[in-house]
Amino acid sequence: MRKDLLPGEQVIVVTRPQPRMLFMPAVVFILVPALAAFASAWIIRGGLRSLLPVVSADWTFWLVTGCVLAALWAMCGYCLPRLLRWQGTRYFLTNRRILARYGMLRRRDQQVFLASVRNVTVTQTVLQRMLRSGTISLDAGHQFSAVLRDVPEVATFHRFVLDALDELPKEEFFEWGHAADESDAGFPRDVREGGRDER
């Protein structure tokens, strides 16, 4: 993040989404290998042949291989992508902007300059209140908004955002691209200054 900082910009806090999204992948990661091992042992001991006599002993290797492959598919196809998605998501708050960064190999950034923020809203479900997390919505006007989902310690993060907004200098609102005043927009300088040609 340091190489992406603007002149005079300082990082206030860096965080990731609340790790509650890893609860189900963790359960699957623990249960699926255990179930695959139990099923493989049951097949090897002949439990499946006793239920289905048509299943011969020649099928044992392939059935055990199927259990192992099913366990690997559950861990690599379900658990690993969710872990990488959580690992690759970060929220940065600096004294100039809020940046949400998604992805590890293919990265996507979403940023909002604090000078353009008009409203900060925090929403929490019952579970999020229990875990002290929440979703922060940033209204930047012009029908543009950014959403930071499952921010941990959302009350503290919200306070940091409000403090950063309070500490913005007054001229900060014009530093990122001052637009011409409506009264002089579209007119030549000589017309604005005197309304006559000096030739």
Side-chain angles (χ1 to χ4, degrees), residues 182-195:
E182 292 181 359
S183 61
D184 61 10
F187 293 97
R189 180 175 297 276
D190 57 352
V191 176
R192 296 199 303 267
E193 292 178 351

Side-chain angles (χ1 to χ4, degrees), residues 23-65:
F23 175 76
M24 284 305 299
V27 171
V28 172
F29 185 81
I30 294 173
L31 289 183
V32 167
L35 292 176
F38 176 81
S40 299
W42 182 67
I43 292 172
I44 292 173
R45 289 197 306 265
L48 184 61
R49 289 198 304 271
S50 63
L51 291 178
L52 300 174
V54 295
V55 178
S56 64
D58 297 336
W59 291 24
T60 301
F61 172 78
W62 300 107
L63 292 174
V64 172
T65 302

Side-chain angles (χ1 to χ4, degrees), residues 1-89:
M1 180 62 187
R2 291 184 178 181
K3 63 181 180 180
D4 298 329
L5 292 178
L6 300 171
E9 187 176 18
Q10 297 178 350
V11 176
I12 299 174
V13 64
V14 181
T15 187
R16 288 191 177 94
Q18 168 62 240
R20 72 183 179 94
M21 63 182 299
L22 299 178
F23 175 76
M24 284 305 299
V27 171
V28 172
F29 185 81
I30 294 173
L31 289 183
V32 167
L35 292 176
F38 176 81
S40 299
W42 182 67
I43 292 172
I44 292 173
R45 289 197 306 265
L48 184 61
R49 289 198 304 271
S50 63
L51 291 178
L52 300 174
V54 295
V55 178
S56 64
D58 297 336
W59 291 24
T60 301
F61 172 78
W62 300 107
L63 292 174
V64 172
T65 302
C67 292
V68 173
L69 292 178
L72 290 176
W73 178 85
M75 291 187 292
C76 296
Y78 179 79
C79 302
L80 185 59
R82 284 158 177 78
L83 176 62
L84 295 178
R85 189 179 304 121
W86 175 82
Q87 179 71 21
T89 302

Side-chain angles (χ1 to χ4, degrees), residues 1 6 23 33 37 40 42 47 52 67 70 74 76 79 91 94-96 99 101-102 113 124 129 157 167 197:
M1 180 62 187
L6 300 171
F23 175 76
S40 299
W42 182 67
L52 300 174
C67 292
C76 296
C79 302
Y91 302 140
T94 74
N95 60 337
R96 297 288 184 87
L99 174 67
R101 179 164 290 173
Y102 305 95
F113 286 101
Q124 291 178 293
R129 292 183 64 182
F157 192 91
E167 293 176 2
D197 196 342

Side-chain angles (χ1 to χ4, degrees), residues 58-193:
D58 297 336
W59 291 24
T60 301
F61 172 78
W62 300 107
L63 292 174
V64 172
T65 302
C67 292
V68 173
L69 292 178
L72 290 176
W73 178 85
M75 291 187 292
C76 296
Y78 179 79
C79 302
L80 185 59
R82 284 158 177 78
L83 176 62
L84 295 178
R85 189 179 304 121
W86 175 82
Q87 179 71 21
T89 302
R90 291 189 181 184
Y91 302 140
F92 300 87
L93 172 63
T94 74
N95 60 337
R96 297 288 184 87
R97 56 183 169 157
I98 296 177
L99 174 67
R101 179 164 290 173
Y102 305 95
M104 299 181 68
L105 299 178
R106 188 177 62 179
R107 198 173 70 185
R108 178 173 64 90
D109 291 349
Q110 183 181 25
Q111 65 178 353
V112 178
F113 286 101
L114 294 177
S116 64
V117 173
R118 299 293 176 264
N119 188 31
V120 182
T121 305
V122 177
T123 56
Q124 291 178 293
T125 63
V126 176
L127 180 59
Q128 286 177 328
R129 292 183 64 182
M130 294 173 58
L131 299 175
R132 297 189 297 182
S133 64
T135 299
I136 295 182
S137 301
L138 305 168
D139 181 12
H142 303 290
Q143 298 181 348
F144 176 78
S145 60
V147 178
L148 307 180
R149 303 187 184 279
D150 279 333
V151 179
E153 298 295 337
V154 67
T156 303
F157 192 91
H158 183 220
R159 186 173 67 252
F160 286 158
V161 173
L162 296 181
D163 291 343
L165 288 172
D166 290 338
E167 293 176 2
L168 281 177
K170 298 301 181 183
E171 62 271 14
E172 186 77 9
F173 292 95
F174 305 99
E175 184 176 342
W176 303 111
H178 170 64
D181 187 75
E182 292 181 359
S183 61
D184 61 10
F187 293 97
R189 180 175 297 276
D190 57 352
V191 176
R192 296 199 303 267
E193 292 178 351

